[in-house]
Amino acid sequence: MAEPYDYRSVERKWQQRWDEQRIFAAREDAAKQKYYALEMLPYPSGDLHIGHAKNYTLGDAIARMMRMLGYNVIHPMGWDAFGLPAENAAIAHGADPSDWTRANIANMQRQVRLMGTGYDWSREITTCDPEYYRWNQWLFLRLYEHGLAYKREAPVNWCPHDRTVLANEQVIDGRCWRCENLVERRNLSQWFLKITEYAERLLDDLEILEGWPERTRTMQRNWIGRSEGAQFTFAVENSEETISVFTTRLDTLFGVTYLAVAPEHPAVAKIVTKKARTAVEQFTQSLQSKSELERTSLMEKEGVFTGAYAVNPLSHERVPIWVTNYVLAEYGTGAVMGVPAHDQRDFEFARKHALPIAQVVAPPGADLGAPLHEAYLEDGRLVASGDFTGMSSPRAREAIADRLVALGAGARQVNFRIRDWLVSRQRYWGTPIPIVYCERCGEVPVPDDQLPVLLPANVPVTGEGSPLANDPAFSNTTCPKCDGPAKRESDTMDTFFESSWYYLRYLDPHNASAPWDQEIARYWMPIDQYIGGAEHAVLHLLYSRFFYKFFHDRGWVTGSNEPFTRLFHQGMVLYNGEKMSKSRGNVIGIDEVVEKRGVDAMRLFLLYVTPPEDTSDWTDEGINGRVRFVNRVWRACEPFLDHAKSANVRALPPASSEEEKTLLRAVHVAAKSAVDETLSRRFHYNTTVAKLDEYVNALMALEQAAPDSPAVAYAVHALPLIMAPFAPHLADELWERMGHKTSVHLESYLEPDMRALAVDTVTLVVQVNGKIRARLQVPPGTSEDDAFALGLEQPAVQAQLDEKRIQRRIFIADKLLNIVTG
């Protein structure tokens, strides 16, 4: 009779011992193949729930498997510690952002350890530590030196709730990505990183990221948004001004009936007529607080005539110039040509404002005299297009581009939708930007030997304006060039800056002379498996790729210029079909689950309930089932440990009975499932846990029938090895009780033995015209003719054939025979 399994003491014991022995500490070892496993850097928000546990459990299982498969594994953890929630807590509750953040880190680190994760804690980083953000500043200065960090005045996305600027990628459906309040537009002087310089490479290199989900690659392709076309100019009548436009549809140039320009376009103030000025100014004022989404998608398309006309460079026709709400100054040239017959937005705008609609591209056989009821968007043949009439759209695009180039009026061009990354934030809790402003010297970078520019303590955070700008002790400094009085930059960096390179700091976290050692990075990079939520498809993942390419260009990293070889997005965990949130009161906390059910049961449930990329539902029935499984493993093994310790787990024992063969096969089916799911990178450990269920069932059955069987001893000895990555505490406890002096997690995984996996018979499905009519037990390797002969003997098959002519047979060895009749 087995003693009761005390999961609480067992789990505490092994977590303490793993820490003391530092068994998960990673070292470079040229003799072993490296494996860098990483989950996305968490934000220390306070408490982890079961949804977080799914992510870390999966990553931990992968890291443990790869280590047992002989790889040199690095698996670090740290904290993305700057950000608005800490500042909002300061505003709402008077909490010091640093104290609030560090208290949350302490609690979350405790919870992550509580989950039994095998992280190398000697590599832990916290991005709000000066030792870390010093290198943020150093990297900013390198970007600045190479012309990739610059400051300019620009319309920006402003969150009135969080009182800070947001990057375009942080505005989702017109709302702040964090607080979900509507975003406004304001003009501010801001720092940008020139990610557009890398747009082509960021797009092209998506093709080599075969280990990424296609959906994520598509999202990045769409965000980067490459367009091939031409940029050319319209002269403005009675003015020296010109207006440039970009289009991918040069074949519609003769159909331009108006120009649409952004109200902020610099030409507007110079070309607007006296009669139209008041209306244009009022219209412009009405858009001041509107977000990009409101102007381009949510608002009805509106505009005001400027009173001015442009001249089509080829047809020489006069076209009116309108300011519109749907054209943005910072997108492209800030102007677009209006072609109502061939763009639905333009069609609707033209109908509303009684502008002409001129069809210049038509499908074969079109009735050109009939009015259009909607825009014709496809290619066709050109009509009413001067010298280009009759050409196909593709040919006309080339010919018109040639003509514009010859006239000096335009050029072929590739444009991208992506814009430069806005990294300025008017907040306190972030990395100070290392720039000072001197009346004599202008904009001056802080010298490297004066880094870090420390974030001052005890700065009042009120939510009104920039806290650092209001702190004279921080703002007032001396110029590094002339030693005269100067002002520090009061903006701090977007928190995505520090999370765009943190994975390199893990490799060398205590280096005081460089952000990382290049030789160490040469060994460990790139990351072999990155795990995190799909919500970061554009933000963090795109920024990290940009940074890594910059590093590669500098020679600071070598090999691939992509940081993440493979990417996996885990699914959410719901409760009663809803996303967990404190406001709903449906959060399942890790502490509660661990106390009541145990870590191993929680891990097994999260791995078992669905494939990891799918959304799963937390249920009491499901977790209780895994608790029962843990107890069954204990009852199946504990009484037999003395008997099992002498069994050689690396040598298959003899098996004479069917029950012994069944058990040995179950052992190696489970092992093969774990190995296959890991090396295939599918990570469907739900199938492996199901195979462990079958393993324990077969073990307990043979223990009842033949407790002294060598197969029982072998299976008991092998079970901790096989389940170690999934239920690590129970596995190590059983392993130790069989006399082993080192942790099971330092052992080699059980290699699946094909002799044990071999079977005497397989199930062959027999179909007639695709419908199952029989299932036959046949020897493996049965030929098609023999299978056909056996199938014809089956009454259900005979009844369906009934003297019908057999047209063909579809045969898949050991699986399927489909007889197709005429």
Side-chain angles (χ1 to χ4, degrees):
M1 184 74 177
E3 64 181 70
Y5 179 55
D6 181 2
Y7 64 83
R8 292 186 184 91
S9 63
V10 167
E11 290 169 356
R12 281 195 299 269
K13 163 188 167 181
W14 285 106
Q15 289 171 16
Q16 182 177 348
R17 190 175 298 182
W18 295 335
D19 274 353
E20 290 171 351
Q21 296 179 355
R22 299 185 65 204
I23 69 169
F24 304 117
R27 303 281 186 276
E28 295 77 48
D29 184 348
K32 297 181 75 174
Q33 186 172 348
K34 66 91 181 179
Y35 190 83
Y36 190 169
L38 187 63
E39 296 88 66
M40 290 183 184
L41 187 72
Y43 180 79
S45 55
D47 265 316
L48 296 175
H49 59 66
I50 212 71
H52 300 106
K54 178 177 180 177
N55 186 31
Y56 303 131
T57 296
L58 175 63
D60 188 62
I62 294 167
R64 289 176 185 269
M65 273 297 307
M66 293 302 289
R67 188 177 291 109
M68 295 182 76
L69 289 172
Y71 289 79
N72 186 25
V73 174
I74 185 171
H75 190 210
M77 173 53 79
W79 312 101
D80 189 8
F82 276 136
L84 279 169
E87 210 158 309
N88 291 340
I91 296 167
H93 309 295
D96 178 80
S98 178
D99 293 345
W100 185 89
T101 300
R102 294 184 188 282
N104 286 348
I105 288 173
N107 183 56
M108 287 175 62
Q109 192 209 68
R110 176 190 63 79
Q111 290 182 307
V112 170
R113 289 176 180 269
L114 193 62
M115 286 187 276
T117 48
Y119 291 114
D120 181 353
W121 288 104
S122 69
R123 298 175 181 271
E124 182 181 17
I125 60 171
T126 302
T127 62
C128 66
D129 286 343
E131 294 79 11
Y132 184 90
Y133 70 72
R134 166 193 179 184
W135 300 111
N136 277 347
Q137 295 169 343
W138 186 89
L139 290 170
F140 180 92
L141 293 173
R142 303 293 83 77
L143 289 159
Y144 182 82
E145 288 168 2
H146 288 86
L148 295 173
Y150 66 95
K151 193 173 191 181
R152 67 176 172 87
E153 182 150 313
V156 295
N157 304 305
W158 177 263
C159 176
H161 177 268
D162 289 333
R163 297 179 181 273
T164 191
V165 168
L166 302 174
N168 296 312
E169 296 87 346
Q170 294 168 323
V171 180
I172 301 171
D173 294 334
R175 295 178 180 272
C176 174
W177 75 292
R178 278 197 185 277
C179 69
E180 298 186 354
N181 279 276
L182 282 172
V183 170
E184 299 174 355
R185 298 290 287 170
R186 292 189 180 181
N187 277 327
L188 291 175
S189 184
Q190 301 288 296
W191 284 96
F192 292 83
L193 298 185
K194 199 178 286 188
I195 192 172
T196 52
E197 194 83 5
Y198 284 75
E200 190 89 56
R201 291 167 62 186
L202 288 167
L203 181 64
D204 291 346
D205 288 350
L206 287 169
E207 298 305 313
I208 67 176
L209 295 177
E210 296 177 353
W212 281 40
E214 183 55 35
R215 184 167 63 94
T216 301
R217 293 200 289 174
T218 298
M219 290 174 70
Q220 289 209 4
R221 285 189 195 101
N222 293 341
W223 188 262
I224 296 167
R226 188 180 192 274
S227 300
E228 291 187 12
Q231 184 166 310
F232 57 98
T233 58
F234 286 76
V236 178
E237 198 174 61
N238 302 317
S239 171
E240 294 182 358
E241 291 297 312
T242 60
I243 295 176
S244 295
V245 299
F246 171 84
T247 183
T248 60
R249 291 296 306 270
L250 272 179
D251 53 321
T252 67
L253 178 53
F254 283 78
V256 175
T257 62
Y258 71 97
L259 286 188
V261 298
E264 305 87 357
H265 194 291
V268 170
K270 301 174 184 176
I271 66 173
V272 65
T273 64
K274 186 180 295 186
K275 182 178 178 181
R277 185 172 300 278
T278 299
V280 168
E281 289 176 351
Q282 289 175 349
F283 181 72
T284 301
Q285 185 64 33
S286 72
L287 299 175
Q288 287 282 312
S289 63
K290 303 301 181 184
S291 70
E292 284 188 15
L293 183 79
E294 287 178 291
R295 285 178 58 175
T296 58
S297 300
L298 302 181
M299 296 177 68
E300 191 170 343
K301 304 302 177 276
E302 298 286 358
V304 176
F305 179 40
T306 63
Y309 288 84
V311 179
N312 188 310
L314 293 189
S315 72
H316 306 297
E317 292 181 351
R318 297 170 79 231
V319 293
I321 303 171
W322 285 65
V323 290
T324 68
N325 59 354
Y326 61 84
V327 180
L328 305 175
E330 59 270 28
Y331 264 115
T333 65
V336 298
M337 61 186 205
V339 189
H342 303 292
D343 181 285
Q344 190 61 32
R345 178 192 61 190
D346 296 350
F347 182 85
E348 293 167 3
F349 187 86
R351 295 228 337 207
K352 181 173 182 178
H353 297 283
L355 293 165
I357 298 174
Q359 185 172 4
V360 294
V361 178
D367 180 3
L368 297 178
L372 287 173
H373 298 292
E374 62 181 358
Y376 176 69
L377 307 179
E378 307 302 322
D379 281 357
R381 291 208 170 267
L382 269 64
V383 297
S385 296
D387 296 343
F388 308 98
T389 298
M391 289 185 183
S392 67
S393 287
R395 182 183 167 203
R397 285 192 283 269
E398 292 299 315
I400 291 172
D402 290 341
R403 180 73 59 86
L404 289 169
V405 171
L407 292 172
R412 288 179 172 84
Q413 186 165 305
V414 174
N415 273 11
F416 292 92
R417 177 179 180 269
I418 190 173
R419 286 176 292 164
D420 285 341
W421 173 13
L422 193 159
V423 294
S424 285
R425 296 295 180 269
Q426 290 68 44
R427 64 182 183 224
Y428 164 70
W429 192 236
T431 298
I433 293 175
I435 298 289
V436 300
Y437 301 100
C438 172
E439 287 190 9
R440 183 183 303 171
C441 305
E443 189 178 278
V444 182
V446 174
D448 289 356
D449 61 7
Q450 293 182 24
L451 301 179
V453 176
L454 289 170
L455 191 65
N458 303 315
V459 172
V461 180
T462 64
E464 300 292 331
S466 169
L468 294 182
N470 296 328
D471 181 23
F474 175 81
S475 295
N476 296 326
T477 187
T478 55
C479 174
K481 279 189 176 179
C482 70
D483 290 329
K487 292 280 187 181
R488 289 196 187 279
E489 172 61 69
S490 60
D491 285 358
T492 54
M493 296 183 198
D494 180 6
T495 55
F496 281 103
F497 192 104
E498 50 254 31
S499 63
S500 295
W501 71 277
Y502 75 100
Y503 45 86
L504 283 159
R505 188 62 178 173
Y506 278 143
L507 307 182
D508 197 14
H510 309 297
N511 192 331
S513 58
W516 63 85
D517 182 280
Q518 293 177 28
E519 285 304 309
I520 293 175
R522 187 191 303 273
Y523 177 78
W524 288 113
M525 291 299 292
I527 292 163
D528 296 280
Q529 186 64 62
Y530 200 34
I531 303 171
E535 67 272 17
H536 297 292
V538 171
L539 292 162
H540 161 62
L541 292 169
L542 188 62
Y543 297 155
S544 296
R545 295 181 61 223
F546 162 48
F547 267 41
Y548 201 73
K549 289 181 187 303
F550 173 70
F551 302 157
H552 196 274
D553 290 348
R554 308 281 78 74
W556 303 339
V557 294
T558 56
S560 172
N561 67 1
E562 289 286 344
F564 314 121
T565 303
R566 303 189 69 87
L567 174 67
F568 192 94
H569 295 314
Q570 83 285 355
M572 291 191 300
V573 181
L574 307 179
Y575 186 52
N576 293 330
E578 292 186 328
K579 185 177 179 180
M580 294 185 196
S581 72
K582 292 179 181 177
S583 62
R584 291 193 181 100
N586 66 345
V587 171
I588 303 297
I590 288 172
D591 292 270
E592 174 190 356
V593 175
V594 168
E595 175 62 25
K596 292 183 177 178
R597 271 81 175 234
V599 178
D600 286 339
M602 178 187 74
R603 290 170 61 107
L604 288 164
F605 171 81
L606 293 169
L607 293 170
Y608 174 68
V609 63
T610 60
E613 67 270 25
D614 292 350
T615 295
S616 49
D617 213 335
W618 179 268
T619 64
D620 289 339
E621 180 183 0
I623 183 62
N624 290 337
R626 292 303 97 194
V627 171
R628 288 193 295 272
F629 172 78
V630 167
N631 287 325
R632 290 179 73 239
V633 168
W634 182 256
R635 292 197 305 273
C637 293
E638 198 274 338
F640 293 87
L641 294 176
D642 286 339
H643 175 47
K645 68 173 63 173
S646 59
N648 183 356
V649 78
R650 306 296 176 183
L652 201 65
S656 54
S657 71
E658 284 302 315
E659 291 81 2
E660 288 174 324
K661 291 178 182 178
T662 297
L663 175 57
L664 294 181
R665 186 168 190 278
V667 170
H668 287 271
V669 164
K672 187 174 188 301
S673 173
V675 173
D676 289 350
E677 292 301 331
T678 303
L679 296 182
S680 70
R681 310 302 193 259
R682 287 199 328 152
F683 309 130
H684 284 192
Y685 295 132
N686 55 306
T687 61
T688 304
V689 177
K691 299 303 180 187
L692 286 170
D693 281 341
E694 296 171 9
Y695 181 160
V696 175
N697 289 341
L699 173 58
M700 297 184 85
L702 189 59
E703 286 174 345
Q704 292 289 324
D708 296 328
S709 166
V712 167
Y714 175 84
V716 169
H717 203 159
L719 186 52
L721 272 178
I722 296 173
M723 71 178 186
F726 317 113
H729 310 84
L730 176 58
D732 237 344
E733 182 68 16
L734 293 172
W735 193 250
E736 182 187 56
R737 290 188 180 216
M738 284 186 283
H740 295 283
K741 302 301 183 186
T742 57
S743 170
V744 69
H745 303 290
L746 299 178
E747 298 289 330
S748 297
Y749 204 71
L750 187 68
E751 185 176 348
D753 193 313
M754 298 311 296
R755 294 172 300 164
L757 293 168
V759 292
D760 296 329
T761 62
V762 295
T763 300
L764 182 75
V765 174
V766 181
Q767 298 177 335
V768 178
N769 295 326
K771 293 187 176 180
I772 298 174
R773 299 302 176 186
R775 287 183 171 86
L776 308 178
Q777 296 300 311
V778 299
T782 296
S783 70
E784 180 179 346
D785 289 340
D786 289 344
F788 181 62
L790 289 168
L792 292 179
E793 296 174 1
Q794 307 306 307
V797 175
Q798 293 172 0
Q800 294 299 316
L801 295 178
D802 192 25
E803 299 184 357
K804 293 176 184 174
R805 185 169 64 87
I806 297 173
Q807 286 190 332
R808 59 194 177 102
R809 305 183 314 214
I810 301 170
F811 181 70
I812 302 174
D814 296 340
K815 292 183 179 180
L816 174 73
L817 170 66
N818 183 18
I819 303 169
V820 181
T821 64

